[in-house]
Amino acid sequence: MGLIALPERSNACERARMRKTVQFLSAASLCGCVAAAPPPLEPGGNQRVDPMPISLALEEIITAGVRQHLRNPIAAKFGTMLAGERTLNGRHEIVVCGYVDDKGSPGGSGGNEPFIGKIYTDSGNSFELVAISDDATVDGACRMAGLAMPDPNPKPHL
């Protein structure tokens, strides 16, 4: 899948404000960090992420990016989402795992569908949807990144 840019907004000031907010939040998350040499990369690179909170600006990037791949984006409801950041192959990225309920989609499978995506902060916060609906692929990729998602439909205890 290629990179997907954020949808165009009707107001250039709003886009600039959102970009500045994301930049500010990214910089603020680094406050208190001590500069240290990065650990040496393993041959395949470290797949694990450093967990991070999902700000409102980051949530907007995620939901807009996922909605572009749904049959009925307006009806979509998002559930639990987890995020973490890492540098992989010299590129800073934010990995996001979550659930989206696309029941209103005509012909859609409905229910809580897992997804995994990446946000590239060095490319204008572009969003790439890696996988959606394939439980095994999404679950394995999220676990490998260190973002184990809880079961969206836990079985009741009797």
Side-chain angles (χ1 to χ4, degrees), residues 3 7-8 10 50 53 55 57 91 94 117 158:
L3 295 178
E8 286 293 318
S10 60
D50 293 324
S55 66
R91 192 161 192 204
I94 297 172
L158 299 177

Side-chain angles (χ1 to χ4, degrees), residues 19 26 48 87 91 94 102 125 140:
R19 187 173 20 251
S26 295
R48 311 262 318 157
T87 300
R91 192 161 192 204
I94 297 172
D102 195 18
N125 293 320

Side-chain angles (χ1 to χ4, degrees), residues 117-139:
K118 294 180 183 178
I119 299 166
Y120 296 101
T121 57
D122 58 355
S123 295
N125 293 320
S126 59
F127 181 87
E128 174 187 357
L129 183 64
V130 176
I132 189 167
S133 298
D134 185 351
D135 290 338
T137 301
V138 173
D139 186 55

Side-chain angles (χ1 to χ4, degrees), residues 40-129:
L41 287 178
E42 299 168 14
N46 185 5
Q47 298 290 316
R48 311 262 318 157
V49 297
D50 293 324
M52 62 183 283
I54 297 177
S55 66
L56 290 176
L58 186 59
E59 183 178 339
E60 186 175 325
I61 293 168
I62 297 164
T63 57
V66 172
R67 285 180 194 276
Q68 291 180 12
H69 298 276
L70 302 176
R71 292 181 188 256
N72 189 356
I74 296 170
K77 292 185 174 130
F78 288 82
T80 302
M81 288 190 281
L82 300 175
E85 55 188 344
R86 68 182 175 196
T87 300
L88 189 60
N89 299 325
R91 192 161 192 204
H92 184 260
E93 61 187 23
I94 297 172
V95 178
V96 182
C97 294
Y99 292 103
V100 61
D101 184 347
D102 195 18
K103 282 185 190 175
S105 169
S109 62
N112 285 311
E113 299 180 67
F115 68 87
I116 182 170
K118 294 180 183 178
I119 299 166
Y120 296 101
T121 57
D122 58 355
S123 295
N125 293 320
S126 59
F127 181 87
E128 174 187 357
L129 183 64

